Amino acid sequence: MTLIKSISGIRGTIGGPVKENLTPPDVVKFTTAYVRFIAARCHDKKPTIVVGRDARISGELVADLVEGTLLACGADVINVGLCTTPSTEMAVITYRADGGIIITASHNPRQWNALKLLNSDGEFLTDSEGKQVLAMAEEEDYAYPAINAIGHVVSREPFNDRHIAQVLALPTVDVEAVRKRRFKVVVDAVNSVGGIVMPELLRALGCEVVELNCEPTGEFAHNPEPLPQHLTEISQVIVREKADLGIVVDPDVDRLAFVSEDGSMFVEEYTLVAVADYILSLKPGPTVSNLSSSRALHDVTERYGCTYHAAAVGEVNVTTKMKEIGAVIGGEGNGGVIYPELHYGRDALVGTALFLTYLAKKGLTMTQLRATYPSYYASKNKIELTPAIDVDKVLREIKTRYANEQVNDIDGVKIDFPENWVHLRKSNTEPIIRIYTEAKSMEEADALAQRFITEIKTICQL
């Protein structure tokens, strides 16, 4: 199958040959390299690493391998068990650990798992740091510590409750305002760790919760990526239950999508837009999203007389840009909200609390709030990579063909036309070329996508 090493960590399918999949030897190899990288920054101090995982079927298997390897390398371990990605990040910060490993393949199907690697700030390693880890993984002269120098498990306790408390303590989260609205909310947690956390958060906010796919079995009830075509069940339940809204998270709870009271998609691109609208109303300042995100954030930011900035795809690229310009809010159009007042990481918990606060204060329904934003429609497509496809050649050719347009090549090629845009890039997480387009109608977005898919196939002679 596939083993992918990128800015998003070490990701692969379970089972199969070593070096081609995420097998036990591969888990040990990359965990060893990571802890060596972290230990080099700790000087003479024994490193402490936080380990958390989502509810994937392979999660316990991989977590045991990771924990054992960390101990064998002389690191102490804080094991937070079933834990969301943002909660694991917050645990690194709260415990002042030296790093963290999150065992999750995010939105990928059940056969996938991954090691997401964090620094001492609870943030993902940069591209250059990741490359150092990959280089160390290929070294064969490492000697593991003797018995007196092995690590110990410092604790095994959940952290999700502490994360919820930290979210609710934010000055921008008005718990009483949300409680007064008494929202009825349907939650679809795709049978992963969100099924533990999201209902608890919502009940703390005074919401009536209808649980859907909230058993953390790892048996995903539908494709785990929170896209409209995968969310027909929750739409039906919202209407049947006469709920105020629906909330959907991915398996590790860093992506957040909303569904309106009539069962229509609020659209995950607008998760960040709505939260940014709220934050900008309190504290005007710069905003950031990645190149594949909706133009709507740019429009809303300009309403407040503030400046919008684009970053390359990848959470660490967005957070780097946010720090550089002092952004008050940022994230990714896939439903990833990054609120620096809490931490620099995509966080569906803080996104939910901020969104519900804004919805409560505005006194609007979901469909009414959605109508206040510019209407753009995104078409997200992909082409499976084969040996016949030279991605770099494709991107160079496209860039040359459209040299007279507004082109950004910091991450693949994005072409901003006056009324729409297209972004072509090689995925960090799957063996595919992504073709994202956005326009003022779905038909126009789809047509633009098909036009570029045809161009790519022509260039590759497929």
Side-chain angles (χ1 to χ4, degrees), residues 152-407:
H152 300 87
V153 176
V154 176
S155 65
R156 296 185 191 278
E157 56 183 328
F159 192 83
N160 296 311
D161 287 352
R162 294 185 68 174
H163 184 194
I164 290 171
Q166 291 165 332
V167 168
L168 298 179
L170 288 167
T172 44
V173 175
D174 191 332
V175 176
E176 288 309 311
V178 179
R179 283 177 178 164
K180 286 178 182 177
R181 279 292 297 269
R182 301 180 67 181
F183 291 116
K184 185 174 184 179
V185 185
V186 181
V187 178
D188 183 348
V190 74
N191 289 333
S192 190
V193 68
I196 300 171
V197 179
M198 296 306 292
E200 185 177 341
L201 170 67
L202 290 165
R203 290 187 177 110
L205 287 164
C207 300
E208 179 184 349
V209 181
V210 178
E211 296 186 12
L212 181 65
N213 304 321
C214 283
E215 289 294 322
T217 62
E219 293 287 359
F220 302 146
H222 53 78
N223 186 304
E225 190 164 13
L227 300 177
Q229 59 267 36
H230 307 148
L231 306 180
T232 54
E233 184 184 12
I234 190 172
S235 293
Q236 295 166 1
V237 174
I238 288 167
V239 174
R240 186 181 71 229
E241 293 286 338
K242 298 181 179 177
D244 295 294
L245 71 153
I247 292 176
V248 185
V249 293
D250 65 338
D252 67 326
V253 200
D254 60 359
R255 290 175 63 174
L256 173 65
F258 294 108
V259 185
S260 297
E261 77 281 359
D262 62 353
S264 65
M265 297 297 118
F266 195 82
V267 182
E268 64 171 354
E269 287 285 346
Y270 284 80
T271 298
L272 175 59
V273 174
V275 174
D277 190 14
Y278 172 47
I279 296 302
L280 289 168
S281 72
L282 302 174
K283 183 181 178 181
T287 65
V288 177
S289 65
N290 68 39
L291 285 172
S292 287
S293 300
S294 176
R295 193 177 281 181
L297 180 60
H298 168 274
D299 295 351
V300 168
T301 302
E302 288 201 334
R303 284 185 190 173
Y304 289 93
C306 301
T307 54
Y308 163 80
H309 301 261
V313 173
E315 184 173 314
V316 68
N317 295 319
V318 176
T319 57
T320 299
K321 191 67 176 180
M322 289 177 69
K323 292 175 182 178
E324 177 188 321
I325 65 168
V328 296
I329 190 75
E332 300 189 288
N334 59 13
V337 174
I338 302 173
Y339 185 47
E341 293 298 317
L342 184 63
H343 69 127
Y344 280 99
R346 292 182 303 173
D347 189 332
L349 285 79
V350 77
T352 295
L354 292 172
F355 183 91
L356 290 180
T357 296
Y358 195 41
L359 189 63
K361 287 178 175 290
K362 294 286 281 187
L364 300 175
T365 65
M366 292 288 285
T367 50
Q368 288 169 341
L369 179 62
R370 179 66 176 78
T372 66
Y373 300 122
S375 287
Y376 293 112
Y377 297 83
S379 181
K380 299 183 178 183
N381 298 271
K382 59 188 178 183
I383 296 176
E384 300 286 339
L385 287 179
T386 68
I389 298 178
D390 183 338
V391 179
D392 293 333
K393 176 186 174 183
V394 168
L395 297 178
R396 283 195 304 270
E397 177 64 25
I398 294 291
K399 183 180 174 182
T400 299
R401 291 185 182 189
Y402 292 91
N404 292 330
E405 303 291 344
Q406 185 177 335
V407 177

Side-chain angles (χ1 to χ4, degrees), residues 48-101:
T48 299
I49 308 296
V50 174
V51 177
R53 67 178 180 89
D54 70 14
R56 286 173 183 273
I57 297 168
S58 61
E60 190 171 4
L61 178 159
V62 177
D64 287 347
L65 289 167
V66 166
E67 182 182 287
T69 304
L70 291 173
L71 298 178
C73 291
D76 287 341
V77 173
I78 296 173
N79 195 320
V80 291
L82 276 175
C83 197
T84 74
T85 282
S87 299
T88 307
E89 293 167 351
M90 289 298 298
V92 172
I93 298 167
T94 303
Y95 290 123
R96 297 184 179 179
D98 300 295
I101 297 180

